[in-house]
């Protein structure tokens, strides 16, 4: 079974702190994604990566950056956390390349981040 | 820009009923559609992925259909059980191109199965 793990289930940080959210997948997937989920707004794509050291902006990249130094690991970075970044953060992964039609995305358990 | 709508937003039915959840999308140039389940406070569990060349996909008591030309998908749940209570989300690739695309999601259908 595909397994996507996230470093923390719950996280509380203070405004202005630098925050790292880590995601690891064990299926050798090329693609990895970060979403946030908010009541009334649903899930929205922040960033994604299709290869090591490659990244693409999603719908709402402002205030975030990402890092992918190894194929299995994708990090989301909040350079200076703000209260409006309080949210549920979900990581996902999928195969890429020529198998695009089969790109089933698998999600991690989520990290609920509270910024005070 | 792709937009996804799910109807109804909430549904409560007695155990044992068959039910249908609806999903519509605005841009029919998709290469797949995925249905997910989410339990409160948890991540998403993938239920079914339908490729654009397929009309339907089945897994156990779940059957998902896809009509690209009309921009619609339905998720049919047979003989519902209390354990089916969850939020069901459908999603399609965010952009019409290939490669690594994120997903755009509907707001979900919150399903309650009464024992």
């Amino acid at each position: 079974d595909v397994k996507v793990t996230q470093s923390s289930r719950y996280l509380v940080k203070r405004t202005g702190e630098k925050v790292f959210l880590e995601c690891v997948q064990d299926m050798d997937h090329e693609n990895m994604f970060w979403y946030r989920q908010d009541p009334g707004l649903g899930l929205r794509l922040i960033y994604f990566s299709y290869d090591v050291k490659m990244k693409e902006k999603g719908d709402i990249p402002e205030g975030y950056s990402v890092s992918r130094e190894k194929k299995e690991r994708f990090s989301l970075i909040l350079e200076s956390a703000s209260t409006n970044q309080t949210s549920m953060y979900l990581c996902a992964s999928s195969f890429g390349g020529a198998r695009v039609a089969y790109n089933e995305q698998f999600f991690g358990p989520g990290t609920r981040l509270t910024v005070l | 820009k792709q937009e996804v709508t799910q109807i109804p937003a909430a549904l409560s039915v007695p155990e044992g009923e068959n039910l249908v959840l609806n999903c519509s999308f605005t841009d029919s140039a998709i290469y797949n559609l995925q249905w997910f389940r989410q339990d409160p406070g948890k991540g998403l569990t993938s239920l079914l992925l339908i490729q654009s060349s397929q009309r339907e996909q089945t897994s156990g008591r779940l059957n998902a259909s896809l009509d690209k030309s009309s921009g619609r998908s339905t998720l049919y749940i047979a003989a519902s059980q209390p354990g089916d209570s969850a939020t069901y989300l459908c999603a399609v690739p965010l952009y019409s191109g290939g490669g690594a695309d994120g997903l755009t999601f509907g707001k979900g259908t919150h399903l309650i199965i009464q024992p």
Side-chain angles (χ1 to χ4, degrees):
Chain A
D1 280 352
V2 174
K3 192 165 184 182
V4 180
T5 57
Q6 296 184 227
S7 51
S8 306
R9 289 285 285 123
Y10 300 94
L11 208 53
V12 180
K13 295 292 182 181
R14 297 219 173 265
T15 302
E17 280 192 73
K18 190 168 186 176
V19 181
F20 293 86
L21 302 183
E22 305 282 339
C23 175
V24 178
Q25 51 93 6
D26 68 356
M27 277 298 291
D28 202 33
H29 283 165
E30 289 86 2
N31 303 333
M32 296 188 75
F33 308 85
W34 276 106
Y35 298 86
R36 64 178 282 178
Q37 185 176 29
D38 301 286
L41 296 175
L43 279 114
R44 294 175 292 168
L45 180 68
I46 305 171
Y47 266 99
F48 64 96
S49 168
Y50 54 90
D51 201 352
V52 174
K53 297 192 186 295
M54 306 306 291
K55 62 184 180 184
E56 294 284 346
K57 294 179 180 179
D59 260 1
I60 52 164
E62 297 78 19
Y64 303 95
S65 62
V66 290
S67 173
R68 191 157 179 212
E69 297 296 319
K70 293 185 178 182
K71 189 175 185 179
E72 68 272 16
R73 188 179 298 269
F74 192 35
S75 300
L76 181 69
I77 303 158
L78 287 65
E79 295 290 342
S80 178
S82 63
T83 56
N84 63 12
Q85 293 178 309
T86 292
S87 186
M88 175 72 132
Y89 289 88
L90 292 156
C91 175
S93 70
S94 72
F95 285 118
R99 294 169 286 188
V100 62
Y102 306 88
N103 285 357
E104 186 174 5
Q105 285 196 20
F106 297 91
F107 280 75
T111 295
R112 184 162 296 281
L113 173 66
T114 302
V115 182
L116 301 175
Chain B
K1 183 183 173 183
Q2 183 73 269
E3 292 184 5
V4 179
T5 304
Q6 291 187 246
I7 295 173
L11 185 62
S12 181
V13 300
E15 180 178 4
E17 282 201 10
N18 302 324
L19 50 98
V20 174
L21 308 182
N22 297 292
C23 172
S24 62
F25 45 93
T26 53
D27 187 341
S28 62
I30 61 171
Y31 47 85
N32 63 40
L33 181 144
Q34 200 166 348
W35 281 94
F36 295 90
R37 167 189 174 134
Q38 186 175 31
D39 294 290
K42 302 288 178 64
L44 277 64
T45 299
S46 178
L47 297 173
L48 291 163
L49 178 135
I50 311 177
Q51 298 159 38
S52 60
S53 58
Q54 298 176 315
R55 283 216 168 249
E56 63 179 57
Q57 191 72 257
T58 298
S59 175
R61 294 182 293 108
L62 304 179
N63 176 277
S65 67
L66 175 63
D67 183 345
K68 273 185 59 177
S69 60
S70 67
R72 295 177 189 275
S73 177
T74 61
L75 180 67
Y76 176 84
I77 303 176
S80 58
Q81 303 170 358
D84 295 330
S85 298
T87 296
Y88 290 81
L89 297 152
C90 75
V92 295
L94 194 60
Y95 306 105
S96 297
D101 291 340
L103 297 174
T104 186
F105 286 81
K107 298 276 190 334
T109 294
H110 181 54
L111 177 64
I112 296 174
I113 308 297
Q114 305 153 12

